[in-house]
Amino acid sequence: MASIYESPDQPWRLSIAPMLDVTDRHARYFYRLLAPKALLYTEMVTTGALIHGDVKRHLQFNIEEHPVALQLGGSEPEDLAHCAKLGQQWGYDEINLNCGCPSERVQKGAFGACLMAEVDLVADCLKAMQDAVSVPVTVKHRLGLDYNDDYGFVRDFVGTLIQKSDIRIFIAHARNAVLKGLSPKDNREIPPLRYEWVTQLRQDFPEARFILNGGLSDVEQMYHQAQAFEGIMVGRAAWHEPYRIREVSRLLWPEVNHVQIDDIIQAIYDYAIVQRQEGVPLRFIMKPLLGLFNGQKGARLWRQSLSNAQELNKGHPELLLKSYEHFKNMSHAVSIGNP
């Protein structure tokens, strides 16, 4: 295993999930400020996008994001090996294969969750990726397909991958993926959570590590499950209420300095100035911050201000500082999370 997985800091104790149209490099820069040691994942990048598209646009990231993992979507071993090698060349700390996304768009490309029905192909893909790179290769998967309630399916899936490849790190979304009839949003909510199955996987395969994903929203719950498993992966909670990421990070790494919200706002402002000089639209930088104060007085004003199309089109990063000042005046608080 690569050094980040041998480190006592265990960055995989808290991971930010790959989320399509969410975890771009600007969101990841923001999440890094909230959680200094969390492992950040890119959006899923398809092999076709890298082989035939703009590699820099898809793989560029900020050095502050380390440790950062690239998630790939694909089903051709040779293509995945090529793209994994690109990921390592660009400096990613881990390469992850998506075997969990249930969207119809992904299914049409014959990858994502539907790959779980072809475990031998998945093993070939992972082996090809491992042969191409020296950084860790991991897999993100569901517990089953459609309405199959047989634990044996995921047990055999994991067991086959361990037998036929050197994969030892599994990110288990603790639900089934329903391939027909449910939207991606429904697939995150309707199939029942089965944390006990992931616990059973740990018992059946003690040589592997299992990171729990799915339904993690409450800070106390996140902290508890991070102790129960080798780590947790948090998705929509990071998007809808990102301050929770900072809270659970402080619990997991109490010895680490976590910057105050005032300083986070200032850091994003400084970052926005640099990104604007490179031609990045301001809306891309502000988007991840919309949920920062959800549940607090003034949160609605904050969201409205940062998503004002007319102001965003002006492209002035000062919008962030003005919005934060207005929020503090309304909330009568110095800032959320400050002592």
Side-chain angles (χ1 to χ4, degrees):
M1 292 296 175
S3 60
I4 66 166
Y5 292 97
E6 296 169 348
S7 167
D9 291 333
Q10 300 177 356
W12 37 266
R13 290 175 67 192
L14 172 63
S15 300
I16 307 301
M19 291 179 280
L20 201 59
D21 298 325
V22 173
T23 49
D24 60 17
R25 63 189 178 94
H26 311 301
R28 297 193 305 267
Y29 183 86
F30 171 52
Y31 293 142
R32 173 59 67 228
L33 292 169
L34 295 172
K37 289 187 174 293
L39 179 58
L40 307 178
Y41 282 75
T42 68
E43 305 171 85
M44 180 184 66
V45 182
T46 66
T47 54
L50 289 180
I51 293 171
H52 306 294
D54 186 339
V55 172
K56 180 179 179 180
R57 182 172 71 85
H58 291 296
L59 296 187
Q60 181 182 14
F61 65 92
N62 307 288
I63 192 171
E64 294 88 353
E65 294 174 39
H66 286 296
V68 57
L70 169 66
Q71 185 183 72
L72 294 175
S75 58
E76 295 291 336
E78 184 176 346
D79 291 347
L80 284 164
H82 173 73
C83 293
K85 187 177 294 185
L86 283 176
Q88 177 170 283
Q89 290 171 352
W90 275 79
Y92 284 91
D93 299 293
E94 172 190 315
I95 312 296
N96 177 266
L97 178 63
N98 184 319
C99 290
C101 181
S103 76
E104 290 188 6
R105 182 173 67 174
V106 168
Q107 290 181 54
K108 288 179 181 177
F111 55 91
C114 64
L115 274 179
M116 291 192 70
E118 300 182 68
V119 65
D120 290 332
L121 174 59
V122 174
D124 290 342
C125 290
L126 291 169
K127 187 66 168 63
M129 294 164 69
Q130 289 174 315
D131 289 345
V133 300
S134 59
V135 298
V137 174
T138 66
V139 61
K140 188 174 188 293
H141 62 92
R142 294 279 184 135
L143 297 185
L145 297 177
D146 298 318
Y147 299 99
N148 182 348
D149 291 332
D150 179 16
Y151 166 74
F153 176 84
V154 69
R155 180 199 61 211
D156 294 346
F157 177 82
V158 169
T160 299
L161 296 186
I162 288 177
Q163 181 184 12
K164 294 189 174 184
S165 74
D166 293 327
I167 289 295
R168 294 296 182 269
I169 298 175
F170 296 83
I171 302 165
H173 187 150
R175 304 179 192 267
N176 276 23
V178 179
L179 301 181
K180 301 294 181 184
L182 292 184
S183 68
K185 180 179 184 296
D186 290 338
N187 261 291
R188 293 191 298 268
E189 299 172 354
I190 293 178
L193 285 165
R194 294 188 173 100
Y195 291 169
E196 69 276 10
W197 283 19
V198 187
T199 299
Q200 187 62 48
L201 287 172
R202 292 183 73 227
Q203 295 172 0
D204 290 343
F205 304 102
E207 69 273 36
R209 294 173 175 172
F210 292 90
I211 289 81
L212 182 70
N213 175 231
L216 299 168
S217 58
D218 177 76
V219 172
E220 184 176 345
Q221 175 203 28
M222 292 180 200
Y223 179 70
H224 172 74
Q225 297 296 357
Q227 310 307 312
F229 295 89
E230 280 74 25
I232 58 171
M233 175 176 279
V234 180
R236 297 295 151 175
W239 170 240
H240 294 299
E241 297 177 312
Y243 63 88
R244 294 186 185 276
I245 301 306
R246 181 172 180 265
E247 292 176 7
V248 73
S249 178
R250 292 174 73 176
L251 292 174
L252 291 172
W253 292 283
E255 74 285 0
V256 173
N257 178 48
H258 287 73
V259 296
Q260 304 300 332
I261 299 298
D262 286 350
D263 297 325
I264 289 175
I265 297 297
Q266 183 63 47
I268 295 293
Y269 170 72
D270 294 340
Y271 174 78
I273 291 176
V274 175
Q275 294 300 312
R276 286 294 299 132
Q277 291 172 349
E278 296 180 3
V280 176
L282 187 62
R283 67 180 183 278
F284 292 168
I285 304 165
M286 297 297 107
K287 181 182 174 183
L289 279 70
L290 295 179
L292 181 58
F293 300 115
N294 280 350
Q296 306 294 314
K297 186 176 181 181
R300 183 178 179 184
L301 174 66
W302 167 261
R303 292 192 302 271
Q304 290 176 338
S305 180
L306 283 191
S307 59
N308 185 304
Q310 185 175 359
E311 291 298 320
L312 289 172
N313 288 336
K314 293 178 182 177
H316 301 315
E318 287 76 13
L319 172 64
L320 175 61
L321 300 183
K322 293 177 181 178
S323 299
Y324 185 49
E325 194 63 34
H326 291 159
F327 166 77
K328 290 196 293 184
N329 290 338
M330 174 168 282
S331 65
H332 303 292
V334 174
S335 64
I336 184 173
N338 283 346

